[in-house]
Amino acid sequence: STWGNIRFVVVMLCVLALVGSTLPPTVTERVFVPNQIVPSFSVLLTDNTTLEVDPTNTTVFPLIAFSWNSADPFTTAMVSDNSSISSFLLTSPTNTHYLISATVPNQTQSIIENLIAQMEILSFTDQQKKQFLDRVHVAAVATADIPELSDVLTQWKSPLLQLSCGGRDYARLDGKYGWSAWPDEIENGRLDILENCTFSSQHQGIYVLVGLECSKADALEQGQAVGVRGLVFAQNTPMLPISDQTDGVNLVVTSVTVSDAAQITQYIHNLKQPANITLGYSNILGEFASIDKLGRLQEIGWEKYATLQMLSWHAQWLNYLENLETKLAEPAMVIPVKTNAVMNFEHTNVVSMPPNREMMEYSALDLDVSIGCLGPQDRDCNVWDRCVTLTVQCGSTNPREHGHHNRHRKTTTLHFGNSSRLDEPGGGGDELGRWTTAFQRRVGHWVTDITPMMPLLFSSNGVCRFTATTDFDIWTITANLRFRKPLSGAVPFAVLNLKWPNQQINFDSSLYNVNRTLSFTVPNGTARVILRAVISGHGDCEFQPTSHHYVINGVHFNSSEIAFDQFMKAGSGYGCTEKVPIGAVPNEHGTWYFGRNGWCNGLDVQPLYWDVRSLLRLHFVSYQFSSFFFSFFISFSIFISFFIS
């Protein structure tokens, strides 16, 4: 009957619904993480050609994808500011390709026009222009219409900074990071209007909206004087990050467009009192991703500094990694020390080492170290930079084991730091290497030459205890010893840690340099002597240039002669950006680009080496330290290594 058929259909639909609800989903969203091989895809370009992206064809790799969102003042400033564009043109490697798209079609042409205009100003030749533009691929479609790219950027979101007031959200652009304070990710406050460009005591502790008619310099000076929390400047579009030539301001500086400022002003006028505001953000389609030379997906870093150099710094980093992988492919005897070991303050393990005589068959020793996080992406890392050190203690060595004088093998570990200072790991007689983590990035990877430290690994029982230490937070470390270059010259057989009679660690007066002389005897059979120093000034000494001087038998050696930039560019605006080609991690979640004293965020503390082979008699060595300022802490470990042919 008809009703019977209806009942049958209803029952079958219910059964199907029940069965369907228990079936597993047939489609699972792909999760994109760094180091995945990208799928092949193609992009239609504005010149009616097609960019073919294929992981088996590396001719367009490395490839950096940049998606301009015209509603985001950050990326708009990147493509509008002349200094941003010119710096990008001057620092981009010649092998890197760029894929430029936009959230709105047909907006990308203005980027090319701005690039060409700056090329003219920089006096690029026609050949230079062509060589650069041949590597810039401009999408003819919106980012969302490039499925393989938009799938990644949907997961790798970017923040759109906003000022919320009166139930509306206004896009904002903060002042240059590191020059002004930045608000918390979500910060509530109150906002008033600056009438007649005049501040008063009632502005203390709140935000103040500053119109175009007011001088930015005067507003910054007066705002600091009365103690405002922050200033919100009205800017014409495109907005650019506000900064000036001062040493920086201790208040939040941000901007909104003139039209948005007018709406906020009207709201506050109607309210007749300061308005409640929230400085926050919303997540939007991501704006950055890259593919390295091997066709692997990579993150570019954090959006903290609105410059196209974000792209060129990342390009330099990709080239560094490619060169590093080439180096790691060279023949070596590799001894794994730690594999993704979790440093919760420290991690210690015991490693069985080759016989001493076998290690001495190699004339070079590298320390291959990666420092990462518990998760697969940068967002899984801790935001602060931390010092990391790797120390070793091996079993006792028979001083006659190799038939050579080895009584300098044993060293004394010194502890540096005290409760009143930034007490960080580093320094001492058992330190193999030292690093500084990147601000919330997980990609640090370095190979450091530690050849003079090989005798620290010698023992009578073939066992060494390795300890990786950091001062705060949880990081992971992978470390390998790489013995390379079959013996063809001198090899280190003994090492002496220099322990000064004056062990003062705080450089707070000229007394620091008093009584820093000692004597030692060169072991018999020595053919070469190396002075090695690992020196870094963190905390109080972070931005202070320093110089370190050693005198051996009347011959002077100093850090400025061999590593001027490593110490004397401390406090410079972009000192550590110059170290990206040698391993400094770019685009960190902090002021990574400032020059530091002997170190950079996301870089190994590079040892200083002096070859003092001509001084093979009784040695008198002294150390002197100089700086423009007093009162800070230096962490150092200093060794004399003895080589035998």
Side-chain angles (χ1 to χ4, degrees):
S1 68
T2 301
W3 283 106
N5 291 338
I6 292 174
R7 285 195 297 271
F8 174 78
V9 171
V10 171
V11 170
M12 286 303 296
L13 287 174
C14 292
V15 171
L16 287 172
L18 179 62
V19 172
S21 67
T22 62
L23 291 175
T26 57
V27 178
T28 302
E29 181 185 28
R30 181 180 180 184
V31 177
F32 295 97
V33 295
N35 294 317
Q36 286 179 340
I37 299 296
V38 298
S40 298
F41 65 96
S42 60
V43 183
L44 179 64
L45 304 179
T46 54
D47 61 1
N48 293 320
T49 63
T50 300
L51 174 67
E52 300 291 345
V53 179
D54 182 348
T56 64
N57 180 7
T58 62
T59 56
V60 296
F61 297 154
L63 176 67
I64 297 177
F66 169 59
S67 173
W68 174 33
N69 186 338
S70 58
D72 176 17
F74 187 93
T75 51
T76 300
M78 290 176 65
V79 300
S80 305
D81 184 9
N82 289 338
S83 64
S84 163
I85 299 170
S86 61
S87 298
F88 166 65
L89 290 169
L90 293 172
T91 57
S92 176
T94 58
N95 67 324
T96 305
H97 290 252
Y98 299 93
L99 171 59
I100 298 178
S101 61
T103 54
V104 177
N106 304 321
Q107 286 189 335
T108 49
Q109 186 58 35
S110 64
I111 300 177
I112 299 302
E113 292 171 356
N114 291 344
L115 285 172
I116 294 174
Q118 286 302 307
M119 289 179 182
E120 293 286 348
I121 293 174
L122 295 170
S123 299
F124 273 38
T125 65
D126 290 342
Q127 182 180 8
Q128 288 174 316
K129 293 176 188 175
K130 184 180 185 304
Q131 288 175 342
F132 195 97
L133 293 175
D134 283 348
R135 294 181 287 107
V136 178
H137 312 283
V138 184
V141 296
T143 306
D145 295 326
I146 310 173
E148 295 80 4
L149 176 60
S150 62
D151 285 349
V152 174
L153 297 182
T154 297
Q155 294 183 22
W156 292 9
K157 297 184 183 299
S158 291
L160 174 63
L161 300 182
Q162 295 171 320
L163 186 153
S164 301
C165 178
R168 296 193 59 180
D169 297 327
Y170 302 94
R172 77 174 206 266
L173 179 65
D174 290 343
K176 181 180 176 183
Y177 188 68
W179 170 79
S180 64
W182 270 30
D184 295 334
E185 287 191 6
I186 304 294
E187 179 171 321
N188 296 314
R190 296 168 63 237
L191 176 65
D192 200 1
I193 306 165
L194 185 62
E195 302 283 2
N196 301 318
C197 302
T198 303
F199 289 85
S200 67
S201 58
Q202 66 185 18
H203 293 138
Q204 183 176 1
I206 68 172
Y207 285 86
V208 179
L209 179 61
V210 182
L212 282 178
E213 70 278 6
C214 300
S215 161
K216 289 186 177 67
D218 290 345
L220 289 166
E221 182 179 355
Q222 294 180 41
Q224 289 187 97
V226 302
V228 302
R229 167 57 182 154
L231 298 177
V232 181
F233 287 97
Q235 276 203 63
N236 290 314
T237 55
M239 295 191 294
L240 301 180
I242 292 177
S243 66
D244 60 22
Q245 300 303 312
T246 66
D247 291 334
V249 292
N250 190 27
L251 49 82
V252 174
V253 176
T254 192
S255 300
V256 295
T257 65
V258 169
S259 59
D260 288 346
Q263 294 186 38
I264 296 170
T265 298
Q266 187 61 52
Y267 175 78
I268 296 176
H269 273 310
N270 294 339
L271 199 62
K272 297 181 180 179
Q273 63 179 6
N276 292 324
I277 62 168
T278 298
L279 299 180
Y281 67 96
S282 62
N283 288 317
I284 59 175
L285 184 71
E287 295 161 328
F288 307 93
S290 74
I291 304 171
D292 67 17
K293 191 66 175 178
L294 297 179
R296 300 173 301 191
L297 192 62
Q298 300 295 349
E299 293 178 289
I300 286 183
W302 297 96
E303 298 169 42
K304 306 293 281 186
Y305 185 19
T307 173
L308 277 177
Q309 279 188 279
M310 277 188 67
L311 309 185
S312 55
W313 286 327
H314 180 68
Q316 293 172 10
W317 169 256
L318 291 179
N319 282 350
Y320 162 77
L321 287 183
E322 182 183 355
N323 294 334
L324 184 66
E325 290 180 351
T326 299
K327 184 174 184 177
L328 293 176
E330 296 174 355
M333 180 178 73
V334 179
I335 307 298
V337 172
K338 296 181 184 291
T339 304
N340 289 324
V342 177
M343 292 181 291
N344 191 357
F345 286 96
E346 71 175 31
H347 176 275
T348 299
N349 63 301
V350 173
V351 176
S352 296
M353 299 295 294
N356 301 341
R357 193 174 299 277
E358 183 177 352
M359 288 187 276
M360 291 185 70
E361 292 176 356
Y362 295 86
S363 57
L365 172 62
D366 292 335
L367 183 54
D368 171 20
V369 168
S370 301
I371 295 179
C373 317
L374 293 179
Q377 293 188 253
D378 288 341
R379 66 190 181 198
D380 301 312
C381 299
N382 293 291
V383 70
W384 286 106
D385 55 330
R386 303 300 183 189
C387 289
V388 175
T389 187
L390 181 67
T391 58
V392 63
Q393 298 83 34
C394 297
S396 61
T397 303
N398 183 338
R400 299 292 180 180
E401 181 177 347
H402 309 295
H404 306 302
H405 195 295
N406 199 29
R407 66 183 178 85
H408 292 292
R409 158 62 186 86
K410 291 188 177 181
T411 60
T412 302
T413 300
L414 306 179
H415 173 72
F416 296 92
N418 58 50
S419 59
S420 65
R421 294 284 180 178
L422 187 63
D423 191 3
E424 296 178 324
D430 51 5
E431 184 178 33
L432 287 178
R434 190 185 311 167
W435 305 263
T436 305
T437 65
F439 291 107
Q440 204 166 16
R441 296 214 63 192
R442 51 167 291 283
V443 293
H445 190 182
W446 315 272
V447 172
T448 309
D449 183 355
I450 62 166
T451 302
M453 308 307 292
M454 190 186 298
L456 288 183
L457 305 174
F458 297 163
S459 70
S460 59
N461 59 6
V463 173
C464 292
R465 180 181 299 271
F466 292 87
T467 300
T469 306
T470 185
D471 46 349
F472 291 101
D473 303 328
I474 296 177
W475 296 85
T476 63
I477 184 170
T478 295
N480 298 298
L481 294 168
R482 294 178 56 84
F483 293 84
R484 57 184 177 84
K485 291 185 180 178
L487 186 59
S488 59
V491 62
F493 74 100
V495 61
L496 171 67
N497 175 220
L498 301 184
K499 182 177 179 181
W500 311 111
N502 175 8
Q503 296 188 45
Q504 180 177 340
I505 59 174
N506 293 325
F507 184 66
D508 52 11
S509 73
S510 59
L511 294 177
Y512 179 91
N513 284 328
V514 173
N515 197 16
R516 289 189 181 270
T517 301
L518 52 83
S519 63
F520 59 91
T521 303
V522 177
N524 294 331
T526 297
R528 184 185 182 195
V529 180
I530 294 291
L531 173 65
R532 177 187 189 264
V534 177
I535 305 171
S536 60
H538 213 160
D540 298 340
C541 196
E542 187 165 351
F543 301 115
Q544 309 298 348
T546 59
S547 183
H548 305 266
H549 303 255
Y550 302 87
V551 181
I552 301 179
N553 285 357
V555 180
H556 291 250
F557 305 89
N558 73 79
S559 59
S560 293
E561 289 180 344
I562 63 172
F564 181 90
D565 290 354
Q566 189 170 337
F567 295 92
M568 298 305 289
K569 284 195 173 182
S572 62
Y574 301 97
C576 284
T577 68
E578 299 171 5
K579 301 298 180 64
V580 174
I582 62 170
V585 177
N587 303 326
E588 301 176 26
H589 201 295
T591 54
W592 67 277
Y593 41 83
F594 291 144
R596 297 317 206 277
N597 182 10
W599 59 280
C600 285
N601 298 102
L603 186 64
D604 55 336
V605 178
Q606 295 167 3
L608 306 179
Y609 293 117
W610 291 272
D611 190 334
V612 292
R613 69 177 69 200
S614 61
L615 308 176
L616 299 180
R617 300 177 182 176
L618 179 66
H619 284 56
F620 291 90
V621 58
S622 63
Y623 165 71
Q624 298 286 279
F625 172 84
S626 64
S627 173
F628 301 116
F629 303 93
F630 288 103
S631 188
F632 44 73
F633 166 72
I634 291 285
S635 177
F636 61 86
S637 55
I638 306 171
F639 296 85
I640 294 284
S641 293
F642 306 98
F643 289 65
I644 193 167
S645 297

